[in-house]
Amino acid sequence: MSKQTEISLVLGSGGARGLAHIGVIEVLEEQGYKIRSIAGASMGAVIGGIYAAGKLDDYKEWVCSLSKADVIRYFDLSFDISGLFKGERIIEKLKSLVGEVRIEDLPVSFTAVATDIEEQKEVWLSRGSLFQAIHASMAIPIVFTPVKVDGRYLLDGALSNPIPIAPTLRDHTDLTIAVDVNGPPGVSIPSRHDRDNGQASDTVLNSDNPVSRLKSFIRNIQGSEGADPQDSWNVFEIISQSLDMLQSNITRFKLAAYNPDITITVSRDAAGSFEFYRATELIQLGRHRAEGKLAEVK
């Protein structure tokens, strides 16, 4: 029997688009690759950490069952001025699926990347509580409150390193495969809402979309409920678009600097940052992109 190709897997940030990582991992395993090491930022840390803990199938079953209303319910309001939501409700749900785990006890080497907002530098979390590391790595500024780890206040890893290849450089593996979900615009997946109306759009902003619901919330607290929603962008759209631009620019630099053996790319217009209710479609997109890239490489 030939030896399995051992890989270091780098999973990039990108909000809901990061669900495509699940499809990529499934294809890698089906094609005989052995994942020995994972480094992830933001949603890449969520998927990578859950995979390393051996619970990706359970997570996939749960996330594919989410409706738009379910996604909204996981936004737990914070009355802290440092962020609108605490993020604790989603972390508790993940803990219920996986259990309390320490990173050093995982069977697969794992590093979550976060950003020290005071020191303005990236932080590698490769020891301690898995979910504390994931929570810090996914803490989108303004949307979620910072997470205190070892005396440091940490935010989303996408701010400093949206595709963390550097933590894998000392790995003794055969290949480094990076998954970039902030690629150039391409063909988007039409949502179920769009298909029902015979339309396609990059991000659906209908009235029961999480972003639109949050937009209404912001207008309420600002006392501007009567304003035309088309007159200006809401705070979540600005945050999402700004973070996408930041991630895309830093990602291009990191890929050029570290040059992984294989890069699997998903377009940044495949889904909006909060469209987690499109999990099934995004996982399938990840499978499609991985199959195409690996066939091209072979």
Side-chain angles (χ1 to χ4, degrees):
M1 180 181 292
S2 60
K3 176 182 176 293
Q4 280 187 300
T5 300
E6 297 185 345
I7 64 171
S8 298
L9 184 61
V10 179
L11 302 178
S13 61
R17 294 187 301 277
L19 293 169
H21 294 318
I22 298 173
V24 172
I25 289 172
E26 289 176 345
V27 170
L28 289 172
E29 290 195 322
E30 288 167 7
Q31 296 199 16
Y33 292 92
K34 183 70 174 179
I35 300 170
R36 289 295 189 189
S37 169
I38 299 176
S42 199
M43 194 60 188
V46 175
I47 301 301
I50 291 172
Y51 171 80
K55 297 292 184 177
L56 192 59
D57 288 342
D58 294 335
Y59 175 81
K60 177 183 175 181
E61 181 180 357
W62 168 71
V63 78
C64 287
S65 72
L66 292 178
S67 66
K68 296 176 184 179
D70 293 329
V71 173
I72 294 166
R73 281 193 286 270
Y74 281 104
F75 284 90
D76 47 349
L77 281 174
S78 168
F79 296 98
D80 191 319
I81 61 172
S82 63
L84 292 171
F85 303 98
K86 293 179 289 186
E88 293 175 359
R89 191 171 296 165
I90 181 63
I91 291 298
E92 288 305 313
K93 177 60 183 179
L94 297 180
K95 284 182 181 179
S96 74
L97 293 172
V98 178
E100 287 282 2
V101 183
R102 293 187 65 81
I103 296 173
E104 56 267 37
D105 296 331
L106 295 172
V108 176
S109 175
F110 174 71
T111 301
V113 173
T115 302
D116 185 324
I117 196 63
E118 293 179 323
E119 296 293 330
Q120 298 184 5
K121 65 181 182 181
E122 67 182 89
V123 176
W124 298 359
L125 301 170
S126 55
R127 297 187 64 81
S129 167
L130 172 64
F131 286 106
Q132 186 180 50
I134 286 175
H135 194 178
S137 187
M138 59 173 263
I140 302 169
I142 301 177
V143 177
F144 294 114
T145 55
V147 179
K148 191 174 183 180
V149 180
D150 297 331
R152 297 177 293 190
Y153 287 94
L154 305 182
L155 284 171
D156 198 331
L159 295 172
S160 55
N161 194 349
I163 190 157
I165 302 166
T168 69
L169 293 180
R170 293 186 178 180
D171 292 345
H172 299 290
T173 53
D174 301 309
L175 293 173
T176 297
I177 298 179
V179 187
D180 170 20
V181 293
N182 294 295
V187 178
S188 303
I189 309 171
S191 72
R192 292 183 182 89
H193 172 77
D194 288 330
R195 289 200 302 269
D196 291 344
N197 289 279
Q199 302 170 342
S201 65
D202 296 345
T203 304
V204 184
L205 293 176
N206 49 46
S207 60
D208 59 347
N209 180 276
V211 176
S212 295
R213 290 290 295 273
L214 294 172
K215 181 175 182 177
S216 297
F217 166 75
I218 291 298
R219 288 205 305 273
N220 280 326
I221 65 173
Q222 291 176 336
S224 57
E225 182 60 36
D228 184 348
Q230 301 303 320
D231 286 344
S232 61
W233 285 14
N234 68 77
V235 67
F236 290 96
E237 289 168 337
I238 293 171
I239 292 169
S240 180
Q241 292 289 339
S242 298
L243 194 57
D244 280 352
M245 180 179 71
L246 176 69
Q247 291 176 112
S248 182
N249 289 336
I250 299 176
T251 295
R252 303 286 79 72
F253 171 77
K254 295 293 185 181
L255 288 172
Y258 293 107
N259 194 24
D261 298 293
I262 298 172
T263 302
I264 297 168
T265 305
V266 173
S267 301
R268 61 178 176 268
D269 62 352
S273 297
F274 299 103
E275 294 186 319
F276 290 95
Y277 53 87
R278 295 172 63 184
T280 300
E281 298 161 277
L282 289 163
I283 292 168
Q284 186 57 38
L285 176 62
R287 291 188 59 89
H288 173 72
R289 299 299 296 162
E291 289 168 347
K293 187 62 179 183
L294 294 176
E296 175 187 324
V297 170
K298 289 179 180 178

